[in-house]
């Protein structure tokens, strides 16, 4: 097994790295890595429905769709991620969350956290509070298992970034289920740094697996990962456009009255839109509705369209900002 300490904190690059070790390195791998502020959504989720758009914009949080299913998670530099890739000769026993989380629990037991355990479908908890969520992607006889380890994350951001009104969207996408969370560091009798915790996990893996050895990415590896990042994981088409079709409905109060936005969105693109409410319009707003059709459900793309209109000629007391707020 190749053991990798991945030092990049770029979410786009790191999720691309997960795909690279799964698809392009034949040997089994174990990797530890961290992301700077990011929301990592499951492959089959509706990106816009999972995020608090205003909070994400204010904090400069990146949104990245991963290869595996499951729910959305928030990453910051206080969160440690681990990844396993494994090939099975007979293809059996591939999806086994306990198999890949067992070493993590063993490290915590050694650190005195005796009440850390596996619970539910894919979580690790301490006293019933989640500190690790896990997901897997399987193709033929190979599995990618990855998980989060909240060590010293900023809990305000963990909750704030993912907080969203679920009534905004009606779709068939997988929804994240909010759970009480906790940091590992809060349960350690003897405090250690995240770097020390990382080293303890890596040492345990090296001792536990036959033929485990450290591996550093070559220049060729890094170039290939960068290519995957640029072509896929940094692209709107993957992170937002891949979302399932959905209907969006939201109301916003403005100085000019209530604005109710109704949209049908397919592959991240607005197919039709109807703006309703008790506002006063000075000109027929149909041209604005029609102009938004075929546009990405993306703030910049929408503002580019709306900037072509003089709002004072269409709405009384309703600004471009008001209309954009109603769309997210």
């Amino acid at each position: 097994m190749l053991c990798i300490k991945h030092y990049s904190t770029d979410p786009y690059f790191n999720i691309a790295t997960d795909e690279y070790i799964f698809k392009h390195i034949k040997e089994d791998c174990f990797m530890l890595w961290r992301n700077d502020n990011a929301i990592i959504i499951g492959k089959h989720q509706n990106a816009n429905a999972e995020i608090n758009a205003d909070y994400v914009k204010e904090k400069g949080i990146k949104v990245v769709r991963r290869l595996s299913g499951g729910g959305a998670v928030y990453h910051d530099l206080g969160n440690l991620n681990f990844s396993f890739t494994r090939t099975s000769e007979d293809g059996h026993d591939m999806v086994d969350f306990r198999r890949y989380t067992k070493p993590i629990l063993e490290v915590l037991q050694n650190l005195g956290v005796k009440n850390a355990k596996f619970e539910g479908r894919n979580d690790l908890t301490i006293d019933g509070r989640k500190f690790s969520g896990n997901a897997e992607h399987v193709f033929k006889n190979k599995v990618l298992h990855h998980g989060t380890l909240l060590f010293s994350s900023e809990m305000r951001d963990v909750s704030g970034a993912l907080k969203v009104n679920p009534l905004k969207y009606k779709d068939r996408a997988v929804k994240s289920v909010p759970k009480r969370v906790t940091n590992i560091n809060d349960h350690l009798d003897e405090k250690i740094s995240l770097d020390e915790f990382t080293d303890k996990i890596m040492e345990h893996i090296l001792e536990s697996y036959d033929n485990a050895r450290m591996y550093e990415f070559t220049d060729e590896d890094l170039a290939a990962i960068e290519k995957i990042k640029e072509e896929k994981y940094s692209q709107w088409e993957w992170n937002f456009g891949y979302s399932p079709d959905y209907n969006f409905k939201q109301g916003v109060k403005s100085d000019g009255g209530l604005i109710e936005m109704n949209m049908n969105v397919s592959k991240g693109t607005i197919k039709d839109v109807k703006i309703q409410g008790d506002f006063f319009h000075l000109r027929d707003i149909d041209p604005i509705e029609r102009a938004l059709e075929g546009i990405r459900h993306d703030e910049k793309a929408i503002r580019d369209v709306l900037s072509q209109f003089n709002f004072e000629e269409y709405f009384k007391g309703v600004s471009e900002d008001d209309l954009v707020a109603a769309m997210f």
Side-chain angles (χ1 to χ4, degrees):
M1 173 181 285
L2 303 182
C3 295
I4 304 164
K5 273 190 182 179
H6 191 40
Y7 294 101
S8 166
T9 58
D10 175 0
Y12 299 131
F13 190 82
N14 291 347
I15 303 302
T17 304
D18 247 4
E19 177 171 321
Y20 180 77
I21 65 172
F22 176 66
K23 291 186 175 180
H24 301 285
I25 293 185
K26 292 182 178 180
E27 292 186 65
D28 294 349
C29 291
F30 174 76
M31 183 170 70
L32 290 171
W33 49 286
R34 290 191 295 163
N35 277 334
D36 206 347
N37 296 351
I39 294 174
I40 310 301
I41 63 171
K43 183 177 181 181
H44 307 295
Q45 290 192 294
N46 177 348
N48 279 307
E50 293 298 326
I51 66 174
N52 182 337
D54 292 339
Y55 195 92
V56 166
K57 180 181 178 182
E58 176 189 348
K59 298 289 187 178
I61 298 169
K62 293 181 172 64
V63 179
V64 193
R65 186 181 301 276
R66 63 179 182 265
L67 197 61
S68 62
V73 290
Y74 178 76
H75 288 185
D76 65 11
L77 294 177
N79 174 74
L80 179 65
N81 302 290
F82 66 98
S83 301
F84 280 98
T85 62
R86 173 175 167 257
T87 301
S88 173
E89 292 183 1
D90 56 14
H92 295 303
D93 193 30
M94 296 301 295
V95 180
D96 185 355
F97 286 86
R98 292 179 182 272
R99 177 192 189 104
Y100 303 106
T101 55
K102 182 173 179 286
I104 305 300
L105 292 175
E106 289 171 345
V107 171
L108 290 174
Q109 292 286 326
N110 292 336
L111 289 172
V113 187
K114 303 300 183 183
N115 48 354
K117 62 181 180 179
F118 184 97
E119 280 194 312
R121 184 180 62 166
N122 59 339
D123 296 336
L124 298 182
T125 66
I126 300 173
D127 294 332
R129 301 174 70 183
K130 177 178 174 179
F131 69 86
S132 172
N134 294 265
E136 293 185 344
H137 174 73
V138 177
F139 183 73
K140 294 184 178 179
N141 65 333
K142 193 167 186 179
V143 63
L144 165 66
H145 177 108
H146 43 201
T148 58
L149 295 170
L150 293 174
F151 186 82
S152 55
S153 287
E154 176 51 64
M155 289 304 175
R156 181 181 301 176
D157 290 337
V158 172
S159 59
L162 294 171
K163 186 178 181 181
V164 66
N165 179 359
L167 297 179
K168 287 182 182 178
Y169 297 85
K170 294 181 180 179
D171 58 43
R172 295 180 178 274
V174 177
K175 303 296 191 301
S176 295
V177 180
K179 296 182 180 179
R180 294 175 63 213
V181 294
T182 190
N183 275 316
I184 293 169
N185 197 37
D186 293 338
H187 301 271
L188 298 177
D189 293 333
E190 295 184 14
K191 302 301 182 184
I192 60 174
S193 68
L194 180 51
D195 286 340
E196 290 172 318
F197 181 62
T198 302
D199 288 342
K200 287 182 180 297
I201 293 176
M202 186 61 78
E203 290 166 5
H204 184 67
I205 294 294
L206 287 167
E207 294 170 357
S208 301
Y209 286 83
D210 293 336
N211 301 317
R213 66 190 189 281
M214 294 301 297
Y215 179 78
E216 290 190 13
F217 288 124
T218 65
D219 290 343
E220 291 76 13
D221 291 330
L222 295 173
I225 295 168
E226 182 68 25
K227 186 171 187 291
I228 296 171
K229 167 194 165 181
E230 291 300 325
E231 293 181 353
K232 183 174 182 179
Y233 289 101
S234 63
Q235 298 299 315
W236 181 92
E237 287 79 4
W238 171 252
N239 294 321
F240 288 90
Y242 193 84
S243 295
D245 295 353
Y246 55 90
N247 300 323
F248 176 93
K249 181 177 181 178
Q250 180 174 236
V252 169
K253 287 185 177 180
S254 73
D255 291 341
L258 177 66
I259 306 166
E260 184 181 289
M261 188 65 61
N262 300 272
M263 298 189 299
N264 291 315
V265 182
S266 177
K267 296 181 179 178
T269 299
I270 301 168
K271 294 303 181 184
D272 57 74
V273 57
K274 190 67 178 175
I275 305 170
Q276 298 174 313
D278 61 4
F279 55 86
F280 294 103
H281 64 91
L282 308 180
R283 296 180 59 179
D284 194 329
I285 62 173
D286 183 69
I288 293 179
E289 293 174 333
R290 300 290 77 78
L292 290 168
E293 293 179 358
I295 301 300
R296 292 175 174 179
H297 190 191
D298 168 75
E299 182 176 345
K300 183 180 183 303
I302 289 169
R303 285 190 181 276
D304 287 344
V305 170
L306 295 180
S307 66
Q308 302 169 25
F309 295 90
N310 182 346
F311 266 66
E312 293 181 358
E313 295 181 0
Y314 291 89
F315 299 95
K316 182 176 177 60
V318 177
S319 69
E320 177 183 314
D321 288 341
D322 294 329
L323 206 61
V324 170
M327 300 180 76
F328 294 92

